[in-house]
Amino acid sequence: MAILGQHKRSQVNGSFRPDAVGKSVVVFGWVQSYRDHGGVVFIDLRDRSGFVQLRCEPTPFAEAHAKANLVRSEWVIAARGTVISRGDNVNPKIPTGAIEIAVEELEILSEAQTPPFEIRDGIETNENTRLTYRYLDLRRPELNNNFVLRSKAYQITRQYFTGEQGFIELETPILMKSTPEGARDYLVPSRVHPGQFYALPQSPQTFKQLLMIAGMDRYMQICRCFRDEDLRADRQPEFTQLDLEFSFVTPEDIYSVMEGYVQRIWSEMLGYDLALPIRRMTFNDAMDKYGCDKPDLRFDLPLTDLTPTLKDRVEFRVFVDAIAKGGIVKALHLPNGETFSRKDLDKTFPEEAAPHGAKGVAWARVTATGEWTGPVAKGISEELRGELNALLGAKEGSLILFLADKPSVVNASLARLRLVAGERLGLIDANAWAFLWVTDFPMFEWGEDEKRWYAMHHPFTSPRVDQLQNLESDPGSVLAQAYDLVVNGIELGGGSIRIHRSDVQQKVFGLLGLSDEEAQQKFGFFLDALKYGTPPHGGIALGMDRMMMLLTHSASLRDVIAFPKTQKATDVMADCPSDVDEKQWADLHIAKRRV
RNA sequence: GGAGUGGUAGUUCAGUUGGUUAGAACGCUGGCCUGUCAAGCCAGAGGUCGCGGGUUCAAGUCCCGUCCGCUCCGCCA
């Protein structure tokens, strides 16, 4: 007689507690492990919720016991029996450890091959093997639980925005128009229109703005976005954004709604009480003090610009040359400098800084009398040294790291060294949450390669209204009404107040090197729409994958995406991308190029 | 496009200066065992050393090329 069909599942396996003792129950699951004592057989039966121990004795249920002798790891079985107390044999290490199920009937639903790796937490397995057998990797409790949490976060998100804050959830197209600027598009060839292509959205940017023009007022979507760029531990080619757009708002209104959101999420997901308001810092301050636009503020260790102090007063060759070429000299002051060995100075630090363009890392150690030792010491007068000690707060035992180069290299290198040093000095509290709004980004950055301005955020971002007059005369000085939300040094999201005037939008396109004709061809529909009564509006998008990475303390995005891609953007399980039939090529009017 | 790192049993790894039959742990298979819970004890099976080429009397080990995973730079409005 079959259990499935005759009986309903009583409860999930991880939920059994002493109050269930005496109940007749039916459970389903995978065999986590079996322990055959010759007589009694114990089976740990796992499902998504955890596992419960089954006890199979030869009498009086001989048939169930005989089947229990056959089962192996990862077989799928059903069991019917009675919950009993374990008496003196309680296992305090597991939630269901006070009880077990005395099995009366056991049914084998599915046998299983021996899996290529054990389905347990804490098993180190090659990423390639894990991804090839992703369905088995996902069966591991730790990974499995990430997706239970992800589902919970989605539910809280919808409740907060659509249930409480007046947003409506709307969908935007996946097949859309390819746009210039920004990341490389994934393209989809059109069968109906030979030689023409759709693009997958990098983000639904223009559509959500059109929804504001359409009077939707507040829009929310948990949407998939696609960018055909190279991958990182925190970057996948397809990823999920919480996409939001608000009408009739200032940045303050958006900060306020978002702060309420992250406070709610961190509270309900982790029981963490986030103090509001979230700290703010301008882009310029972030670059100046921390060398990057997403500083990890779980610890301080600020950078100090020494250029004005050193200019014309220093003989150390590297500094002199850098300043002469228009570069800068910045320092990272590390208290407890004795933590760092000569090997760190000669090898670790230069190797960490090199990928960011640094040709070397100069250093000085500070003695009890305020003297310096190390390569920099010679070129610095006693007076200047005293000034620098005061400026940096350096005292006995301090280590000072110097970088001299063009600003981009100095900042990127020292930002990296700051993280390395913070970690080595034990300054990073793994349980801390350092939230930060980075504000006042520049509108444009200069691109040397094509000798033109690029939008730092995106082309729809509004400049500060009081700087509109400088848009053409001095684009580099104009600040954007843009903001990023940073958590522990990770960019969780970003957004801006948008341009809602057709003439300003056209002017910005012009600055980005789009002729009126091109602008009309690429964005004509959008420029037209702006002319039909556009509410002032703005929005933000949060990376849901990155947020789950933070909430689950995962080291990689792959641990919070069910079916992620490898670093070469492939799916090794399904073997994708792959060849397609000649017929498909023909249907799409595409010819293979001879290579 | 570039840099680094790894690829040896099903899994994680060790493998010395190039030298006998490539090892360990876990897993797997069989046996024993009625209170285990990462069960225990006994026995056993299991290898294209990523792939191709080269040097050598001899290559897991050295050289060249190539493929794949991961981390990073470039790239990511």
Side-chain angles (χ1 to χ4, degrees), chain A residues 32-47:
Chain A
Q32 166 99 25
S33 73
Y34 58 95
R35 295 175 291 279
D36 178 1
H37 286 256
V40 66
V41 176
F42 296 105
I43 294 171
D44 289 339
L45 194 67
R46 181 189 64 237
D47 65 16

Side-chain angles (χ1 to χ4, degrees), chain A residues 444-456 475-476 511:
Chain A
F444 306 103
E445 53 189 340
W446 183 251
E448 241 349 285
D449 44 342
E450 289 191 35
K451 306 279 183 210
R452 70 167 178 93
W453 294 102
Y454 284 82
M456 195 150 184
L511 278 164

Side-chain angles (χ1 to χ4, degrees), chain A residues 391-409:
Chain A
L391 186 63
L392 295 165
K395 46 186 184 290
E396 183 182 6
S398 285
L399 171 65
I400 306 168
L401 302 181
F402 301 88
L403 247 116
D405 210 307
K406 54 185 183 183
S408 59
V409 169

Side-chain angles (χ1 to χ4, degrees), chain A residues 27-99:
Chain A
V27 291
F28 295 89
W30 286 260
V31 174
Q32 166 99 25
S33 73
Y34 58 95
R35 295 175 291 279
D36 178 1
H37 286 256
V40 66
V41 176
F42 296 105
I43 294 171
D44 289 339
L45 194 67
R46 181 189 64 237
D47 65 16
R48 199 182 75 201
S49 65
F51 66 90
V52 65
Q53 177 167 285
L54 308 182
R55 187 183 75 176
C56 305
E57 294 211 291
T59 53
F61 302 104
E63 196 185 329
H65 178 259
K67 284 184 186 166
N69 266 316
L70 297 175
V71 303
R72 291 294 181 268
S73 292
E74 301 308 317
W75 287 26
V76 181
I77 65 173
R80 187 176 57 74
T82 304
V83 180
I84 59 173
S85 167
R86 291 209 202 174
D88 294 335
N89 297 308
V90 165
N91 183 351
K93 284 187 284 189
I94 58 174
T96 59
I99 59 92

Side-chain angles (χ1 to χ4, degrees), chain A residues 505-518:
Chain A
Q505 185 66 71
Q506 207 136 14
K507 207 174 279 182
V508 169
F509 282 152
L511 278 164
L512 296 174
L514 255 72
S515 68
D516 285 354
E517 202 174 48
E518 284 172 307

